[in-house]
Amino acid sequence: GQQIVNLTSASSKSNKNETQQYQSLFQPSSSLDYRIPPNDTLHQSLRIWMINQRSNYNRLPQTLEEKNDQSSSSASSIPSTMTPQRQHALEEIHFPWSGRFRNRMEEVQYKMDKRRKKERQKAKKRRMERKEREENERVEQLLISPLVSSVSSTSGGTSGGGGGGDGRE
């Protein structure tokens, strides 16, 4: 009985190693390319299936909300057949939701870069607005300052010594 247990545990350890090796071989990588050219007739049915998956994903309620936030396009009247399980499975293999990218990694990177660029532009605009506001305040201060100094210099010039006074000595 003892010998069988040892064989079983050794067998399960080797199965775990084989499973890990198998999983590491089939882990999606950033080098995957999910694009299929329109003129590839051999894989046309796969290409159509991928287009259908993307269409169904884009009809999901949360996806429509994101798109409506970005533009004023009307919501699709065709319901989505995308299940959460299928969406998760496709995302696990880095399936891109846009046909523009080789894989999901490129798509996510593009979206992150685009978001960062937009944030930098907003920050730059805020800095420019702040700089312009400060400059306008300085200009106002300069416009007010000469009037105050010219009023004080005019009154100071008449009462100061130098012969141009009011005639009293």
Side-chain angles (χ1 to χ4, degrees), residues 1-163:
Q2 185 94 13
Q3 197 170 15
I4 295 173
V5 171
N6 288 339
L7 289 174
T8 307
S9 65
S11 172
S12 69
K13 284 181 183 177
S14 68
N15 283 345
K16 281 184 182 179
N17 288 338
E18 286 176 21
T19 304
Q20 287 173 346
Q21 288 175 343
Y22 175 80
Q23 286 175 340
S24 67
L25 285 175
F26 292 99
Q27 284 294 319
S29 73
S30 60
S31 64
L32 287 174
D33 191 343
Y34 286 95
R35 295 176 296 186
I36 299 174
N39 61 353
D40 183 349
T41 55
L42 180 63
H43 300 103
Q44 187 173 8
S45 58
L46 176 60
R47 183 174 182 275
I48 290 169
W49 180 85
M50 289 171 32
I51 290 169
N52 288 334
Q53 300 315 301
R54 291 182 179 116
S55 295
N56 281 309
Y57 173 79
N58 288 325
R59 281 190 232 119
L60 287 172
Q62 70 271 16
T63 309
L64 288 173
E65 288 172 11
E66 290 172 10
K67 287 188 182 257
N68 286 336
D69 289 345
Q70 295 172 0
S71 66
S72 60
S73 63
S74 61
S76 174
S77 59
I78 304 170
S80 175
T81 59
M82 176 69 66
T83 64
Q85 294 82 4
R86 188 181 329 147
Q87 179 182 351
H88 180 72
L90 288 169
E91 287 175 349
E92 276 188 340
I93 62 166
H94 299 251
F95 182 79
W97 297 117
S98 168
R100 292 177 50 192
F101 305 98
R102 292 182 323 134
N103 55 54
R104 181 86 174 127
M105 303 303 281
E106 279 186 9
E107 184 176 28
V108 169
Q109 184 65 44
Y110 172 80
K111 286 181 179 181
M112 288 173 54
D113 291 346
K114 192 174 178 181
R115 190 175 302 124
R116 283 189 204 116
K117 182 179 180 182
K118 193 178 274 188
E119 288 171 0
R120 284 192 305 269
Q121 288 173 337
K122 283 182 182 179
K124 183 178 180 179
K125 184 178 180 183
R126 283 193 303 267
R127 283 192 307 271
M128 296 283 284
E129 288 171 349
R130 188 186 76 232
K131 193 174 183 179
E132 188 175 332
R133 197 172 42 251
E134 289 171 354
E135 190 173 312
N136 286 340
E137 289 172 0
R138 276 185 256 144
V139 167
E140 285 181 31
Q141 287 298 318
L142 289 173
L143 289 175
I144 294 172
S145 293
L147 292 176
V148 171
S149 64
S150 69
V151 168
S152 65
S153 68
T154 319
S155 64
T158 56
S159 66

